[in-house]
């Protein structure tokens, strides 16, 4: 049976409480510790996801501009903190990196994951929580334009990892097996802890996997809470 539908948090709703270990800060970070400060939080898949790694680099590039208007930048990766610390030792970033290997924060913010109907099911499909595997397998993507042509999402993952020289280890493979269909969410939270802007990956179908907000879109959204 498919999992129940998850509804992403909407502008005007309070952000959920969270406390997560940081891969590049001395202490855990919580919603309470951010009280009175607006922040952008990206909820990503694990390090096995090349699209997420690229968006984290974009976060690094836009972080100074966000900081200049008083907005902190956080990224939650679906990776154990020890693995994240090792990776980001070689890929340093000014973004505050948080670890959530079980995707609890993703669920609390209402970021959905893909769930496939059994082949014999007669339920009407609805992306992403009642998806048909055939529809996913038929999707073709090339969100960064780095591949010669659009390819199936799983193939795109493999190709970009090979281009990056990224070899998933046992931990990455375990996270991928457990949470590989998790989607990505972006939320802008104001100083009072209220969601002011949000974007969810692949809202309309698997053909949008890996399509994330641009730096310009992020900065435009930041104007809702800046100052």
């Amino acid at each position: 049976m498919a999992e129940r539908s998850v509804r992403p948090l909407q502008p005007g709703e309070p952000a959920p409480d969270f406390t997560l270990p940081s891969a590049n800060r001395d202490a855990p970070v919580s919603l309470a510790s951010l009280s009175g400060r607006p922040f952008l939080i990206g909820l990503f898949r694990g390090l096995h996801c090349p699209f997420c790694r690229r968006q984290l680099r974009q976060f690094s590039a836009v972080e100074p501009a966000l900081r200049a208007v008083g907005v902190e930048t956080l990224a939650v990766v679906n990776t154990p903190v020890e693995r994240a610390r090792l990776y980001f030792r070689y890929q340093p970033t000014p973004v505050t990196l948080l670890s959530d290997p079980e995707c609890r924060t993703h669920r609390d913010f209402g970021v959905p994951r893909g769930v496939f109907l059994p082949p014999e099911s007669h339920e009407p499909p609805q992306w992403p929580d009642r998806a048909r595997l055939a529809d996913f397998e038929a999707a073709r993507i090339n969100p960064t334009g780095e591949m010669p042509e659009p390819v199936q999402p799983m193939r795109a993952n493999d190709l970009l990892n090979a281009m990056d020289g990224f070899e998933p280890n046992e931990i990455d493979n375990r996270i991928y097996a457990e949470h590989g269909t998790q989607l990505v969410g972006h939320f802008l939270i104001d100083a009072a802890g209220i969601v002011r802007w949000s974007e969810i990956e692949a809202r309309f179908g698997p053909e949008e996997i890996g399509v994330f907000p641009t730096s310009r879109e992020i900065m435009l959204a930041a104007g809702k809470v800046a100052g």
Side-chain angles (χ1 to χ4, degrees):
M1 181 178 294
E3 296 181 3
R4 66 179 179 85
S5 179
V6 173
R7 187 184 71 85
L9 290 182
Q10 302 297 308
E13 297 183 317
D17 191 21
F18 63 86
T19 301
L20 295 171
S22 175
N24 60 349
R25 300 290 184 268
D26 293 332
V29 174
S30 66
L31 181 65
S33 72
L34 294 161
S35 179
R37 292 175 287 168
F39 62 92
L40 169 71
I41 184 169
L43 300 158
F44 296 102
R45 289 183 285 276
L47 294 175
H48 63 271
C49 171
F51 308 113
C52 301
R53 298 196 307 270
R54 281 158 172 75
Q55 181 74 355
L56 285 168
R57 289 199 291 269
Q58 180 186 323
F59 263 35
S60 297
V62 78
E63 189 275 343
L66 288 169
R67 178 163 27 94
V69 296
V71 177
E72 297 198 27
T73 312
L74 285 68
V76 179
V77 290
N78 168 222
T79 293
V81 68
E82 297 82 4
R83 169 64 169 154
R85 284 173 179 157
L86 177 62
Y87 178 81
F88 287 106
R89 186 181 305 165
Y90 301 97
Q91 300 286 338
T93 174
V95 173
T96 297
L97 293 162
L98 306 177
S99 169
D100 186 351
E102 301 303 326
C103 289
R104 292 191 180 95
T105 316
H106 302 66
R107 290 194 294 271
D108 289 345
F109 274 84
V111 182
R113 56 176 295 184
V115 180
F116 297 112
L117 292 166
E120 68 277 10
S121 174
H122 296 292
E123 285 190 69
Q126 180 179 337
W127 174 263
D129 55 297
R130 295 199 311 274
R132 289 190 303 195
L133 183 60
D135 293 337
F136 175 76
E137 291 178 338
R140 297 293 182 269
I141 65 171
N142 189 11
T144 64
E146 296 173 75
M147 296 175 289
E149 61 183 7
V151 298
Q152 206 278 332
M154 306 305 297
R155 177 60 175 158
N157 201 71
D158 293 338
L159 286 174
L160 291 178
N161 276 336
M163 289 171 59
D164 293 347
F166 181 87
E167 296 183 6
N169 65 10
E170 181 180 351
I171 295 173
D172 299 319
N173 289 331
R174 176 175 58 81
I175 291 291
Y176 174 73
E178 294 176 358
H179 303 288
T181 61
Q182 176 65 54
L183 297 177
V184 170
H186 295 71
F187 297 84
L188 192 68
I189 314 299
D190 70 14
I194 304 299
V195 176
R196 292 303 175 197
W197 170 85
S198 66
E199 282 290 339
I200 301 297
E201 178 191 21
R203 286 179 296 168
F204 302 110
E207 296 81 6
E208 296 180 336
I209 288 174
V211 177
F212 299 139
T214 65
S215 296
R216 181 177 183 274
E217 289 169 333
I218 290 171
M219 291 305 302
L220 285 173
K224 300 178 186 293
V225 301

